Amino acid sequence: MPSSAPVPPDLSAAPAPAVPSPPARTRATTRQPVHRRTFLSGTAAAGGALAVTATGLSPAAAAAKDHGRAAADTAPLTVRPADRRYADLRRGTNQRWVGSPEQIVLATSTSDVVRAVQQAVDSGARLAVRSGGHCYEDFTTSREITVVLDLSRMDDISYDERRRAFSVQPGAALGRVYDRLYKGWGVYLPAGNCPTVAAGGHIQGGGYGSMSRRDGLAVDHLYGIEIVVVQADGTARAVTATREPDDPHRDLWWAHTGGGGGNFGVVTRYWLRSPDAKGSDPAAQLPTPPREVWLSEVAWPWEQLTEARFTRLMWNHGDWHARNSGPDSPYTKLFSQLKPFHKSAGAVVLDSLVDAGAPGAERLLQSYVSEVGAGVGVQPQVRQYRRVPWLHATQWPGFTGPDPTIRFKGKSVYARRNYTDAQIAAAYRHLTRDDFHNPSALLMIASYGGAVNRVAPDDTAVPQRDSVLKYQVVSLWNDAADDEANIAWVRECYRDMFAATGGVPVPNETNDGCFVNYADVDLADPRWNTSGVPWHDLYYKNGYRRLQKVKAAWDPTGFFRHAQSIRPA
């Protein structure tokens, strides 16, 4: 540990020995454990008449031309089963899902997308859209899909002077977005922690990460979109939509501020500018990230955690967030993930980050770690405590992941208050089960709230605007032979944690539904959701009716669809 980085006073004066790494093979449920510090995020990407808005935006046809429209006689690259690249391109990050499409179209321009969508409409082909491939479910790989429209080569990031906004294409991975925005203009977007997740599905699903408590969600900085839609007559065309009050397409923009991927069309470009941005200087159009951050990782060994001690640790954590997640809290500069791993991993881990430029930054971090561990009766092991530049911190393995060679299942929760006693008891029971052994099964609990809660619930399509925590029950594994055991563990842990509300986090004084980017088809399965609350109300709450109207207006034929797509009104 560097001499310039003092250890928090409530912890040991020197790092304690690290918890031993789990064995390479524990049981059949996990043959090669995935690295314990893993973050999951994202889903597949999604997507009237042309019009010139009163704000002076040009028609979509002109916009497409301005941004490198391909020559009319140049077809995009198409990969079919005989192509050696097919094995890679038929799948995304979650190796549970392997598609069998007839073709995979790798678009490089808006005109490529228009052409591919039109051909699919004309031929009656079932089309799915993919940007980074991080979908939790089989929305881009199901058997019904014959054409995959891959947007990964559409990864341009630039500044649009006419719109005073940054232009980001859907295939741009978040790591590239951070690098380009920061090196080019000294700004950033408060988006997700996984650098390989692409902007395409991430942004339109809401988009949150380690700086969202300070600067809000990614969609809170979304100025406009360019999107390819299919009209009632079957014509595919590109349109633009912005947040300007006089934009006739404003509802289409709103639907992409949390409405989820694959619902309305194919987003081919995002324009990003903060609502309070002024002037024409690019460096003033988006937030400035911290210059440096403090990183901390501490761990409580499972061998020392009784149920009472675990309960106290969880209660402390939830209580702290309930008290310190208001928009004006000094702790909005702090983000953390509590990771109660299955006991076979050896420890419950707390990874934290704080803006080093915040007043009393170290004191804030030290106080947080101390309060979470207060009264537990176990001295946490200090694994890391150091100060690093912000851009480097975006690659920190404490938050990043997942490994693209693994299989996973996750189920999400928005929490408005502390965990209930019943939720903690259920979590403890499943995390300490002796009939299941996977060091990469865990609860992944992220700090939330802060600036996120400054926005009104209906200003965007993300209605969860008073939550304090956002988490998931998740398991990661390698072998298909272990699917049944791991999926069952996730389902049973989640069901039992929310047994009081039908096995799902029905919005009430404690819970606030689910996160659309962590897609979960179980929410529509009566075996796992006995609450009587439909899946779409868990994601969108009362906003679903408005999303249905947008769907009816912009995708009246229902061309863009998947297992949890929005149904037209």
Side-chain angles (χ1 to χ4, degrees):
M1 180 177 297
S3 60
S4 60
V7 177
D10 59 302
L11 305 182
S12 303
V19 174
S21 297
R25 179 167 178 164
T26 52
R27 280 178 59 127
T29 48
T30 299
R31 289 179 167 81
Q32 295 178 350
V34 180
H35 196 286
R36 289 175 292 182
R37 293 189 298 246
T38 308
F39 180 86
L40 301 178
S41 178
T43 73
L50 296 172
V52 179
T53 74
T55 60
L57 292 186
S58 60
K65 181 177 180 180
D66 289 345
H67 293 288
R69 179 188 289 271
D73 59 351
T74 303
L77 172 66
T78 299
V79 171
R80 294 182 172 84
D83 193 303
R84 62 184 300 166
R85 294 165 290 190
Y86 183 81
D88 271 313
L89 298 179
R90 67 192 292 203
R91 67 186 75 206
T93 297
N94 191 345
Q95 296 305 305
R96 287 175 59 205
W97 311 118
V98 180
S100 55
E102 295 175 5
Q103 55 183 292
I104 302 162
V105 180
L106 289 99
T108 59
S109 68
T110 299
S111 60
D112 280 354
V113 173
V114 171
R115 184 185 299 113
V117 171
Q118 190 65 67
Q119 290 174 348
V121 172
D122 293 345
S123 65
R126 180 72 178 273
L127 179 141
V129 187
R130 181 178 67 205
S131 52
H134 284 70
C135 191
Y136 277 40
E137 298 286 1
D138 69 342
F139 295 173
T140 64
T141 55
S142 68
R143 294 180 179 179
E144 294 79 16
I145 293 166
T146 54
V147 179
V148 172
L149 180 54
D150 187 299
L151 308 179
S152 60
R153 299 175 71 193
M154 297 179 64
D155 62 355
D156 178 71
I157 301 164
S158 57
Y159 184 68
D160 187 328
E161 292 184 358
R162 289 187 302 146
R163 294 171 174 81
R164 293 193 302 113
F166 290 94
S167 168
V168 175
Q169 288 188 307
L174 296 182
R176 173 175 163 79
V177 173
Y178 298 144
D179 184 85
R180 178 70 177 130
L181 290 178
Y182 190 55
K183 290 179 178 178
W185 300 276
V187 300
Y188 88 123
L189 179 69
N193 291 330
C194 181
T196 60
V197 166
H202 178 75
I203 292 177
Q204 60 193 284
Y208 81 104
S210 59
M211 299 309 298
S212 289
R213 281 167 58 90
R214 193 189 83 153
D215 293 319
L217 301 178
V219 292
D220 297 339
H221 303 268
L222 180 62
Y223 175 73
I225 59 170
E226 178 185 72
I227 179 172
V228 175
V229 298
V230 175
Q231 299 182 133
D233 64 359
T235 301
R237 61 191 338 179
V239 299
T240 60
T242 75
R243 67 173 178 236
E244 296 292 345
D246 57 353
D247 188 333
H249 303 160
R250 192 176 191 277
D251 265 1
L252 183 60
W253 161 83
W254 177 86
H256 287 82
T257 62
N263 278 313
F264 308 99
V266 185
V267 174
T268 53
R269 189 171 304 275
Y270 295 104
W271 284 287
L272 305 170
R273 187 202 328 147
S274 299
D276 58 351
K278 295 179 173 60
S280 58
D281 182 358
Q285 306 310 311
L286 283 175
T288 300
R291 289 188 178 184
E292 295 179 308
V293 297
W294 281 101
L295 301 177
S296 165
E297 180 174 278
V298 302
W300 290 266
W302 263 116
E303 61 186 12
Q304 299 179 44
L305 289 177
T306 62
E307 182 170 6
R309 287 173 169 177
F310 176 82
T311 299
R312 178 61 183 266
L313 180 66
M314 290 289 288
W315 190 91
N316 287 349
H317 181 261
D319 180 66
W320 185 95
H321 283 85
R323 291 184 289 104
N324 293 286
S325 294
D328 300 320
S329 168
Y331 284 98
T332 58
K333 312 299 191 299
L334 183 146
F335 173 84
S336 179
Q337 284 183 1
L338 179 66
K339 301 170 187 173
F341 288 92
H342 184 269
K343 69 177 183 179
S344 56
V348 174
V349 177
L350 182 67
D351 287 325
S352 307
L353 170 154
V354 67
D355 177 353
E362 284 191 86
R363 175 183 54 78
L364 295 175
L365 177 58
Q366 293 164 6
S367 174
Y368 169 65
V369 175
S370 178
E371 289 190 51
V372 171
V376 174
V378 178
Q379 187 74 0
Q381 300 174 343
V382 181
R383 294 180 173 181
Q384 293 188 54
Y385 187 67
R386 54 200 173 104
R387 183 170 179 159
V388 300
W390 171 78
L391 190 59
H392 284 72
T394 62
Q395 303 289 327
W396 185 47
F399 295 145
T400 60
D403 176 345
T405 68
I406 61 170
R407 311 166 78 83
F408 63 86
K409 170 70 175 177
K411 301 170 76 66
S412 67
V413 182
Y414 283 99
R416 303 176 66 196
R417 302 288 185 272
N418 198 353
Y419 321 100
T420 66
D421 291 342
Q423 288 169 354
I424 296 174
Y428 178 82
R429 185 166 64 254
H430 286 280
L431 290 168
T432 59
R433 281 170 53 176
D434 290 323
D435 64 338
F436 175 79
H437 296 259
N438 182 356
S440 298
L442 70 153
L443 272 61
M444 190 177 297
I445 309 171
S447 301
Y448 205 63
V452 173
N453 293 348
R454 187 173 287 123
V455 178
D458 57 355
D459 281 357
T460 67
V462 178
Q464 294 89 358
R465 293 292 186 163
D466 66 352
S467 295
V468 301
L469 290 165
K470 188 173 187 175
Y471 62 99
Q472 55 185 317
V473 179
V474 63
S475 189
L476 306 94
W477 66 98
N478 293 311
D479 265 319
D482 300 330
D483 284 2
E484 183 178 354
N486 282 276
I487 294 171
W489 183 86
V490 172
R491 285 172 166 169
E492 291 164 7
C493 180
Y494 190 82
R495 176 201 62 197
D496 292 352
M497 287 184 68
F498 300 99
T501 52
V504 295
V506 172
N508 57 22
E509 66 279 0
T510 301
N511 312 310
D512 209 19
C514 305
F515 180 35
V516 68
N517 272 359
Y518 297 161
D520 179 14
V521 296
D522 291 347
L523 299 178
D525 188 334
R527 293 174 299 173
W528 302 105
N529 178 3
T530 60
S531 69
V533 177
W535 62 266
H536 46 75
D537 286 358
L538 293 171
Y539 287 141
Y540 306 117
K541 300 173 67 174
N542 294 335
Y544 183 65
R545 284 60 181 168
R546 183 175 175 185
L547 289 168
Q548 286 186 291
K549 292 179 180 178
V550 177
K551 178 75 169 178
W554 292 98
D555 186 26
T557 68
F559 178 78
F560 297 99
R561 63 191 187 276
H562 54 70
Q564 287 188 329
S565 56
I566 292 165
R567 277 54 167 175

